[in-house]
Amino acid sequence: MKLLVVGVSLFLSLSTLAQAGGAPPPRMPSPEGQWQQSQPEPTVEPAGVQEIFVMPSGNIGCVYTPAGGTPVYQPADGGPELTCDIVVPRYVRATLGRTGAATLNHAVGDPSCCSSGPVLDYGQSWARGPFTCASERTGLSCRRDDGHSFHLSRAQVSAD
């Protein structure tokens, strides 16, 4: 009975090591009958990284997600995606996806604006993928290459 317990324990330990990458891959016979090391599986292309920026006022913050998304977030249409939140005078999220008109969400369920940086200074522009944004004292305007856009400011929130 002790031998059975020791054998099961050893088997479980070795299988755990193999799953964790601690054991070498198994050797497999080649078609010619010679033994050779099996090849590791191809690695998956790493997902992209989101990029953020905020306006100097701290009232508007944006998140850019590249095509294909990230390990924890994939846009519904596969991306790329640009979302910008404005806090005052009311919390609104503007989104530009891969296609279609920009959308405005006035009932954001996960308000998370705004980080501390990097700051897109007034008079500066930002561009990634098909999106371009311009930071002005009068607000933030973002546009996709096909002309769909949104504008966020204390005076006006619009999307087309």
Side-chain angles (χ1 to χ4, degrees):
M1 182 64 159
K2 275 188 171 182
L3 187 56
L4 179 62
V5 171
V6 170
V8 170
S9 297
L10 181 61
F11 174 76
L12 291 176
S13 297
L14 290 176
S15 62
T16 303
L17 276 174
Q19 287 177 353
R27 293 171 32 105
M28 303 297 286
S30 69
E32 296 82 30
Q34 298 174 350
W35 287 88
Q36 59 184 202
Q37 194 76 17
S38 66
Q39 298 296 318
E41 291 190 29
T43 57
V44 176
E45 184 70 26
V49 176
Q50 288 181 320
E51 184 175 328
I52 61 170
F53 64 88
V54 297
M55 296 285 288
S57 66
N59 189 39
I60 300 172
C62 298
V63 177
Y64 167 72
T65 304
T70 71
V72 295
Y73 175 72
Q74 290 77 38
D77 65 1
E81 179 183 84
L82 177 65
T83 60
C84 296
D85 293 3
I86 184 168
V87 178
V88 175
R90 63 192 178 281
Y91 202 103
V92 177
R93 178 170 292 156
T95 303
L96 270 170
R98 177 189 307 245
T99 60
T103 61
L104 296 176
N105 181 352
H106 295 273
V108 177
D110 62 342
S112 58
C113 190
C114 296
S115 70
S116 61
V119 174
L120 182 62
D121 288 324
Y122 299 129
Q124 299 294 311
S125 62
W126 170 95
R128 295 292 180 279
F131 309 114
T132 303
C133 295
S135 171
E136 301 294 336
R137 290 189 184 279
T138 56
L140 178 72
S141 296
C142 295
R143 176 174 305 280
R144 192 175 56 229
D145 290 346
D146 66 1
H148 288 286
S149 64
F150 61 79
H151 177 78
L152 302 176
S153 71
R154 292 177 195 263
Q156 174 190 355
V157 173
S158 62
D160 63 17

